Amino acid sequence: MGHRRTARRTRGSRCVSLLLGAFVAAAAEGALAHALVMSSTPAANATLRAGALPIELRFNSRIDAKRSRVTLRAPGGAEAVLALKIDDSRAVLSGSAETRRAGDWAVVWQVLSLDGHVTRGEVPFRVEDATGK
Amino acid sequence: MTSLFDDFGFVAVVLQGFGFIAQSVLVGATFFAVLVVPRDTRDSVAIAARKASTVVEVAALATIVVALATALLTAGMLVATIQLAWRDVASAPFVLAAIAKVAAASVVGTRLRNPDAGPSARMTSIAAALALIAAAAADSHAIARLDHVAPLLIATYAHQLGAGLWLGGLPCLWLTLRDADPATARRIGRRYSTLAATGVALIVGAAFVFAFEYIGSFEGLYGTAYGAMAGVKTLLLVLLLMLGFANFRTLHGALPDRVAVPRVRRFVELEIAAGFAVLMAAASIASSSAAVDVVADRLSLPELAARMAPAVPAFESPARDALSPIVAPGTVTASRTAGDRAWSAYNHHVAGLVIVLIGIAALLRHRRRLRWAAHWPLLILLLGVFLLVRADPEIWPLGSVGPFESLGDPEVLQHRLFVLLIAAFAIVEWRVQLGRIASPRMSRVFPLLMVAGGALLLTHSHAVADAKEQLLIEMTHLPIAVLGVVAGSARWLEVSTSHGEGRVGREGRVARYVWPVALILVGLILLEYREA
């Protein structure tokens, strides 16, 4: 139901929720944004050459790595789960992968921070082949 | 899965709000039972002790239920989204914190069940209540920070303890003021003042630490969701302090008990309403990123000023065809077209106009020649029908999807049920306004819902791709939330001081003008609504 519900929400649900907000109760919309990626490798919207890809996500809060997941989404949508390492600060998740195809890729993350909040997001980037396409 | 995650986010914030409320009331009732109610065998004091024990029991049960529900929800989310095994989730810090909360609440609930509990049970209960806050602090923002974890944990502990001592003690105070004889109630109220003042000091002291560590700058205050929510929470706290101060003066003043006690009780009711909103706002803040961490998507003053600058509202709706198509499930990207934005703005403007009319009618309803204005709740029905049609334009009569067919979509069903609920409440209020329902309880349904609506609006954020746009929209909604709480509280006060046939007490005469004005302001904000 990905975009279908999102589109409807931005158009209609807010208005219903405002009526409810003013008189009754707000409708269900919510987006947690607790853990934030402060910096990443690759950087968001970077363009890279195909090949080995070191991945590092630096968060603003300490992460429960055992209960977090980072995947690499290839052009076409296939996702591969990364084996994760975490540093001593417990705020940096890292791993490595290989990008063989040109196109739009993304590092997709879902983390549980130590305060029990689950957050997700993605870092999109582009991969070019040797010819720069 | 995206929508599941969005729904999880909303439910998690609401549950956290309920958790804060239950925990605060449990802590407050525990301290009230042990430190505020005097050790006295007189019947009038025994009433206060019994009431406090009942509140402890209910709050302990609520704390346990909410802690378990929150942990199960998060655990279930992790199992569903990243396929963790349940046994791997079982040892997560948030699960351990929930178990500690359940244990602490169980101890308080069982040890203080008996109003005549001995010194050992009373001290154990205080220790367990303090342990409950420790478990909550161990599950807070502070524990996940990279720096200054210890001072932040101490500040969080102090903040939550303060909320418990002050706001959490209010239900017990209210029951005492209602049920004990006026002289005893006043005596207990004075003893509670000390506890409340301690709570205020703890809350304010910790708030300075949070302002420094989590907000960091003036830009962080107005440019981020965290800062804006903290500002709203501060505003509500100032309102609460004013009410609390008024109560303090009344309790310690020269008014006779039979006058002072009912007045304080009415104001305590308002304090409870504002306290509920504050704790829901706290839950929203606890789920937001700290302002100091939000660097890229901060709002600047010129951006805010541009959005808040008055503009003539548009009352021209784009054609249904101008809306972006509802695309197939699984599509990732979403962009709002000019048609979508104009459609949304039109909805807001019409809603704003109707709410302004409701406020004006509510202001005029007491004038002899304008008694017909008491029919203003019918405008809510009208607005409900308008939104029923406009909220889901792909559904009949605007779209091609049949009305019954569409109910298979949970979100459409949710919209329909909410509108139905509004219609039911509007009809109740209509009959109240016409004097056909004299029940004081029914008269309080509408104000209660305004407060609940305002508080829930504080927990509410928008799924808009552009973070700045999302924040700008929220900036317009936060004043609506505060005004909703103010309007509901004022209407409640009017109803509370009513002597029948439209006659109200002194506070009620002021309140009867406050809530329609608050509604008019809500309408004006909606009339100014726009998106970029």
Side-chain angles (χ1 to χ4, degrees), chain B residues 26 29 52-62 108-110 112-114:
Chain B
L26 181 54
S53 291
T54 307
V55 175
V56 164
E57 264 192 283
V58 172
L61 186 64
V108 183
T110 49
L112 272 190
R113 260 171 74 185
N114 179 3

Side-chain angles (χ1 to χ4, degrees), chain A residues 1-36 38 59-62 64 66-69 89 91 110 112-120 122, chain B residues 3 5-7 10 13 16 81-83 88 91-93 139-141 143-146 286-287 289 293 324 326-327 331 334 336 340 347-348 383 387 391-394 409 411 414-415 418 422 446 449-450 453-454 456 460-463 526 529 531:
Chain A
M1 295 288 284
H3 173 56
R4 185 161 185 265
R5 290 175 62 127
T6 304
R8 186 179 287 148
R9 275 181 179 177
T10 50
R11 176 184 304 153
S13 178
R14 189 181 318 138
C15 214
V16 173
S17 71
L18 274 170
L19 178 66
L20 298 166
F23 290 105
V24 189
E29 277 185 58
L32 290 181
H34 198 72
L36 285 176
M38 305 303 283
F59 291 91
N60 65 332
S61 50
R62 295 194 290 157
D64 183 345
K66 268 174 66 181
R67 297 170 186 91
S68 300
R69 189 175 71 172
S89 74
Q110 178 180 310
L112 173 68
S113 50
L114 284 194
D115 55 8
H117 285 100
V118 184
T119 318
R120 58 168 46 177
E122 60 182 58
Chain B
S3 63
F5 195 81
D6 289 344
D7 293 340
F10 173 72
V13 176
Q16 181 145 30
T81 53
I82 61 175
Q83 289 77 48
D88 291 332
S91 56
D139 200 22
S140 71
H141 249 136
I143 198 80
R145 297 301 293 172
L146 300 179
S287 306
S289 300
D293 296 334
S324 59
I326 303 295
V327 301
T331 307
R336 281 164 69 66
D340 292 333
N347 289 355
H348 282 80
L383 188 52
L387 290 180
D392 302 294
E394 65 276 13
D409 184 325
E411 195 164 324
Q414 187 189 41
H415 287 177
F418 274 140
I422 294 167
F446 190 68
L449 288 162
M450 280 200 278
L456 282 173
H460 172 256
S461 65
H462 295 98
L526 290 175
Y529 180 87
E531 296 174 34

Side-chain angles (χ1 to χ4, degrees), chain A residues 78-89:
Chain A
E79 291 193 19
V81 179
L82 300 177
L84 294 176
K85 286 182 287 188
I86 189 156
D87 76 339
D88 291 341
S89 74

Side-chain angles (χ1 to χ4, degrees), chain A residues 19-115:
Chain A
L19 178 66
L20 298 166
F23 290 105
V24 189
E29 277 185 58
L32 290 181
H34 198 72
L36 285 176
V37 171
M38 305 303 283
S39 64
S40 67
T41 305
N45 303 314
T47 300
L48 312 169
R49 283 289 162 92
L53 177 72
I55 293 170
E56 185 181 278
L57 301 173
R58 182 176 295 276
F59 291 91
N60 65 332
S61 50
R62 295 194 290 157
I63 301 300
D64 183 345
K66 268 174 66 181
R67 297 170 186 91
S68 300
R69 189 175 71 172
V70 178
T71 59
L72 186 64
R73 191 175 66 226
E79 291 193 19
V81 179
L82 300 177
L84 294 176
K85 286 182 287 188
I86 189 156
D87 76 339
D88 291 341
S89 74
R90 303 189 71 176
V92 180
L93 292 176
S94 57
S96 58
E98 187 98 7
T99 53
R100 296 203 179 95
R101 280 197 292 151
D104 293 325
W105 293 69
V107 176
V108 181
W109 54 269
Q110 178 180 310
V111 297
L112 173 68
S113 50
L114 284 194
D115 55 8

Side-chain angles (χ1 to χ4, degrees), chain B residues 115-303:
Chain B
D116 301 320
S120 153
R122 294 153 72 86
M123 286 308 110
T124 312
S125 302
I126 291 281
L130 294 174
L132 172 67
I133 302 174
D139 200 22
S140 71
H141 249 136
I143 198 80
R145 297 301 293 172
L146 300 179
D147 302 306
H148 309 141
V149 173
L152 282 169
L153 275 175
I154 293 169
T156 304
Y157 192 94
H159 204 62
Q160 297 199 14
L161 177 60
L165 295 181
W166 176 22
L167 304 177
L170 290 170
C172 288
L173 176 65
W174 182 79
L175 287 168
T176 302
L177 294 168
R178 190 190 67 175
D179 295 336
D181 72 78
T184 307
R186 189 172 199 168
R187 183 173 153 225
I188 291 177
R190 284 175 174 163
R191 289 168 66 98
Y192 164 79
S193 297
T194 312
L195 200 68
T198 311
V200 170
L202 288 169
I203 289 173
V204 173
F208 278 109
V209 178
F210 294 152
F212 186 74
E213 287 285 336
Y214 291 148
I215 299 175
S217 65
F218 185 54
E219 290 78 12
L221 186 66
Y222 66 74
T224 65
Y226 188 102
M229 287 299 303
V232 165
K233 196 171 156 220
T234 306
L235 183 67
L236 288 168
L237 273 172
V238 170
L239 287 175
L240 269 167
L241 274 173
M242 287 163 62
L243 287 168
F245 184 65
N247 281 344
F248 181 88
R249 284 189 53 160
T250 309
L251 282 170
H252 293 262
L255 280 175
D257 294 340
R258 63 182 169 71
V259 179
V261 168
R263 178 180 291 179
V264 172
R265 196 184 74 212
R266 286 194 293 271
F267 275 40
V268 167
E269 288 169 0
L270 305 189
E271 273 192 89
I272 290 174
F276 170 67
V278 162
L279 291 170
M280 293 306 275
S284 187
I285 290 174
S287 306
S288 305
S289 300
V292 286
D293 296 334
V294 178
V295 180
D297 292 314
R298 283 189 176 190
L299 289 179
S300 67
L301 273 181
E303 283 170 322

